[in-house]
Amino acid sequence: MILRLSLPLILLLIIVPQSIQGSIFKTFSNTLSPKYPPYSFVFPLSGNVFPLGYYSVSLQIGNPPKDFTFDVDTGSDLTWVQCDAPCSGCTVRTELQYKPKSNTVPCSDSICSALHWPQKPECLNPKEQCDYEVEYADQGSSMGALVVDQFSLKLLDGSSFVPRLAFGCGYDQHFPSAHLPPATVGVLGLGKGKISILTQLVSARLTRNVFGHCLSSKGGGYLFFGDNVIPSTGVSWTTLVSPNNHHYTTGPAELLYNGKPTGLNGLKLIFDSGSTYTYFNRKTYQAIVNLIGNDLKGKPVKDVKDDKTLAICWKGAKPLKSVLEVKNLFKTLTINFKNGRTNSQLQIPPESYLIVSKTGNVCLGILNGSEAGLQDSNVIGDISMQGAMVIYDNEKQQLGWVSADCDKLPK
């Protein structure tokens, strides 16, 4: 899922089954030790919530290795890159695009079947390339072919691996004219499907089926694969629900405002790094807006209508430079997860749901998901995951978080 800068919902139409394992994985994994190594990979991130609206990672692909920047998306499976095959509608210069070298995946390969499941690949000749098409709700799309190439990945200790992984070579892109095209070259899909880069690394016995990210409010941060960097204490956990869904969904949970119940219960929440902002369904969103609005009465901020940065903005006595200047005027939101007899709480302080616009106003980074095409879903986006290590544990089917200094790479 990609929800950048309050764009309409973007949904991948590709769903990959958990049971299918491609021959690409088997070929590579046969060369490795049968024992599960405790390898962990850490990747620096660039970007911010505002004004960029995304966090990106640079990965090296090919021989010789070439850098490509990807939008990090935990809400989709397929990784793809703009591709000089040649390319129609690409948003980056030709020299920045990926150049295929007779390395397309044949239509007969089981990884192609996994990509297209529950449908079957449409190919008259089994030697034909495996095509893909990703369509978005905002009318954007990427079309191309599945390819295999080596990725240069460095471990924490400085050593490296160069596994051959499958990804999309997108040679026909379409971006809606109403929005600026992304500055990244592609999307890094980190969903649960077998086509995701992490799942391929797990199948090759290179890492555990655990990953996470730490997004800094100052910009940047890091992404990690494996569990070696996770603290042994202090992590709050909640169960992942809907295991067959490629989204990382949690719940049910209740919403607290300033530590007090709001009466909003039974919420299911998708944690999605592909979403810039946090989205709640219409009822929950309106309740939050009312609570904040009532709380701001008599305080030195007022509604401003001429700032279109986000749906709701407030103006102070003078232009603001930081959310911290008005943090004390707002209250903390808390997501209270009930895990059997125990509770775990995700605190969302004002600096994790507010931004300062270019004109110096403070704006609400919580949006109405029903208006963005999310129906009744709730999405925890980048803004509300800043300043914390967020952990997606596919082995134990749980999601965790702990406060962290995201400006320092783990060692």
Side-chain angles (χ1 to χ4, degrees), residues 120-152:
K120 292 183 179 181
E122 295 182 5
C123 50
L124 299 176
N125 186 334
K127 294 183 179 181
E128 288 181 358
Q129 68 184 26
C130 177
D131 294 322
Y132 81 87
E133 183 172 6
V134 183
E135 296 183 1
Y136 302 101
D138 68 348
Q139 308 306 310
S141 65
S142 173
M143 185 167 62
L146 207 61
V147 295
V148 177
D149 208 338
Q150 67 182 39
F151 282 62
S152 299

Side-chain angles (χ1 to χ4, degrees), residues 268-289:
K268 288 189 176 181
L269 302 111
I270 298 169
F271 282 70
D272 184 9
S273 68
S275 173
T276 304
Y277 298 110
T278 289
Y279 293 76
F280 284 102
N281 61 45
R282 190 183 308 278
K283 177 183 176 182
T284 305
Y285 169 78
Q286 196 56 56
I288 291 171
V289 169

Side-chain angles (χ1 to χ4, degrees), residues 14-36:
I14 298 170
I15 301 174
V16 184
Q18 298 292 317
S19 59
I20 298 179
Q21 196 164 22
S23 60
I24 293 167
F25 307 143
K26 296 175 183 176
T27 300
F28 187 72
S29 62
N30 286 341
T31 67
L32 300 171
S33 166
K35 292 184 178 181
Y36 222 124

